[in-house]
């Protein structure tokens, strides 16, 4: 494991929203298991409800004190009802900057940055999704996006299920229940250095939470390189599957030291990475992927797998750089 896996802080974006409270609670539960500290960060810019801009250093000090008090109130509200969690143990950091800028600066040496977002990408939530995707692209440390579900989400799923099911019997979309060992951590791998770091992060998560780890290699023929025996022809899917399983076996052998104390299974599926991992997210407790190193214009224009997952994954997601 990397040296900072359990020694560096977990940095959480907090802004008073339900999403940020969910992120903070997730981070605090994580810290209980690892012994890490949690740093709640609020990036703020001036707004109409702050009154006129201070014209003295004393005025700025009063404003900063108000903002710190607001952050303390949010933290206390977020931890209310959590056993063995004291809001006083949370470091409070406010910065006069946008939320993204504050988290990138404060979290540059963190073990991970944690933010929250809702599951449905409605217009009113577009800014949250854009914020999460932007942060996941620009950060140099892992970014965890904690998904929360609401009654509205479930009712929309039920409405779709009823509309598309023949007959008059009421039906609904039921999310799978956790098994006796808990939902697994799922990680997508492709043999790259970034996916190796994602595998390390995922193995650590599975070990800390005592749940199985499932390693997914989602492939298409173009991802496999030259399939032996088909150097000048398109390989059948069955041969592609054999090749994919060979590549996955190599990945697992190279990193078998990561899996001490972890129940691990590896799977190769003939499906695009985005589709396969989105499907897996419906049954996972935590999905981990590599960023593939895309940033800026290329990531926006091409659409990376990780960027699609930030928007569409149905469980907590970590993007590892």
């Amino acid at each position: 494991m990397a040296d900072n896996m359990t020694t560096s802080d977990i940095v959480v974006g907090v802004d008073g929203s339900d999403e940020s409270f969910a992120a903070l609670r997730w981070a605090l539960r994580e810290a209980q298991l690892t012994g890490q500290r949690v740093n709640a960060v609020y990036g703020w810019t001036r707004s109409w409800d702050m009154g006129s801009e201070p014209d003295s250093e004393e005025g700025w000090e009063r404003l900063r004190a108000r903002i710190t008090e607001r952050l303390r109130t949010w933290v206390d509200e977020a931890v209310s009802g959590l056993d063995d969690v004291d809001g006083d143990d949370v470091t409070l950091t406010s910065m006069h900057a946008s939320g993204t800028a504050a988290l990138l600066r404060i979290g540059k040496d963190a073990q991970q940055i944690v933010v929250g977002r809702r599951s449905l990408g409605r217009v009113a939530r577009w800014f949250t999704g854009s914020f999460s995707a932007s942060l996941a692209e620009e950060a140099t440390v892992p970014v965890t996006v904690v998904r929360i579900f609401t009654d509205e989400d479930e009712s929309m799923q039920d409405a779709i299920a009823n509309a598309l099911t023949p007959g008059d019997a009421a039906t609904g979309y039921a999310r799978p229940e956790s098994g006796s060992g808990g939902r697994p951590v799922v990680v997508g791998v492709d043999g790259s250095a970034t996916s190796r770091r994602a595998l390390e992060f995922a193995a650590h998560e599975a070990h800390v939470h005592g749940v199985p780890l499932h390693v997914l290699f989602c492939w298409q023929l173009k991802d496999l390189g030259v399939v032996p025996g088909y150097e000048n022809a398109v390989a059948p899917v069955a041969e592609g599957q054999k090749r994919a399983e060979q590549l996955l076996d190599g990945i697992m052998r190279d990193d078998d030291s990561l899996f001490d104390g972890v129940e691990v299974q590896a799977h190769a599926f003939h499906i695009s990475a985005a589709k396969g991992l989105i499907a897996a997210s419906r049954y996972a407790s935590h999905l981990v992927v590599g960023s593939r190193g895309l940033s800026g214009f290329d990531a926006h224009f091409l659409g990376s797998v990780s960027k699609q997952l930030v928007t569409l994954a149905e469980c907590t997601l970590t993007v590892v750089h």
Side-chain angles (χ1 to χ4, degrees):
M1 298 291 175
D3 290 340
N4 75 335
M5 195 67 81
T6 57
T7 57
S8 299
D9 285 355
I10 301 174
V11 168
V12 188
V14 179
D15 62 5
S17 66
D18 290 343
E19 294 93 332
S20 72
F21 288 176
L24 180 57
R25 287 191 289 268
W26 184 93
L28 287 167
R29 286 191 289 266
E30 190 81 1
Q32 281 184 310
L33 296 173
T34 63
Q36 292 168 270
R37 285 197 58 84
V38 173
N39 187 348
V41 174
Y42 175 41
W44 61 276
T45 53
R46 288 199 51 75
S47 60
W48 63 271
D49 62 341
M50 290 184 177
S52 58
E53 184 169 315
D55 56 6
S56 66
E57 183 56 34
E58 185 180 72
W60 278 107
E61 285 296 329
R62 286 196 298 268
L63 177 58
R64 284 191 282 267
R66 283 172 52 201
I67 290 169
T68 299
E69 182 59 30
R70 178 184 296 180
L71 181 55
R72 165 55 60 197
T73 300
W74 287 340
V75 169
D76 289 343
E77 183 177 346
V79 304
S80 176
L82 291 182
D83 295 333
D84 301 322
V85 173
D86 188 343
D88 291 337
D89 294 334
V90 179
T91 301
L92 306 181
T93 304
S94 63
M95 176 177 287
H96 188 189
S98 69
T100 299
L103 287 169
L104 289 173
R105 181 171 175 182
I106 302 300
K108 63 183 177 62
D109 296 317
Q111 184 257 342
Q112 62 181 304
I113 297 171
V114 182
V115 293
R117 74 176 298 263
R118 294 181 186 269
S119 57
L120 291 181
R122 293 176 178 273
V123 173
R125 298 171 190 160
W126 182 86
F127 293 101
T128 304
S130 177
F131 166 72
S132 302
S134 175
L135 190 64
E137 285 179 12
E138 296 180 41
T140 57
V141 301
V143 173
T144 295
V145 182
V146 177
R147 190 82 64 200
I148 66 170
F149 286 83
T150 66
D151 292 341
E152 180 186 7
D153 300 334
E154 299 298 337
S155 66
M156 285 298 101
Q157 297 278 16
D158 288 348
I160 292 170
N162 278 291
L164 300 181
T165 301
D168 297 327
T171 186
Y173 172 79
R175 302 185 73 222
E177 295 295 331
S178 298
S180 58
R183 291 192 185 193
V185 173
V186 174
V187 57
V189 298
D190 61 7
S192 66
T194 305
S195 80
R196 198 273 178 191
R197 290 190 288 273
L199 183 58
E200 179 182 15
F201 188 100
H204 170 73
E205 281 296 302
H207 179 74
V208 165
H209 290 272
V211 298
L213 172 66
H214 286 251
V215 181
L216 267 60
F217 183 88
C218 298
W219 65 274
Q220 296 178 297
L221 285 173
K222 62 182 177 61
D223 303 319
L224 302 179
V226 176
V227 177
Y230 293 88
E231 290 80 2
N232 299 309
V234 177
V237 170
E239 293 299 319
Q241 180 67 25
K242 291 179 183 177
R243 177 60 176 162
E245 291 173 356
Q246 291 171 354
L247 293 172
L248 179 56
D249 286 344
I251 292 170
M252 300 300 289
R253 284 196 304 272
D254 288 344
D255 293 313
D256 62 356
S257 63
L258 299 177
F259 308 131
D260 292 344
V262 177
E263 176 189 339
V264 59
Q265 296 183 43
H267 316 271
F269 294 113
H270 182 209
I271 190 172
S272 70
K275 287 183 178 180
L277 293 170
I278 289 169
S281 74
R282 296 170 189 148
Y283 307 95
S285 62
H286 195 153
L287 177 63
V288 183
V289 295
S291 66
R292 291 179 176 263
L294 287 180
S295 61
F297 179 77
D298 286 343
H300 177 75
F301 184 73
L302 298 175
S304 67
V305 170
S306 58
K307 190 170 183 178
Q308 293 180 62
L309 291 169
V310 167
T311 303
L312 298 173
E314 296 190 21
C315 67
T316 292
L317 168 75
T318 297
V319 178
V320 177
H321 294 264

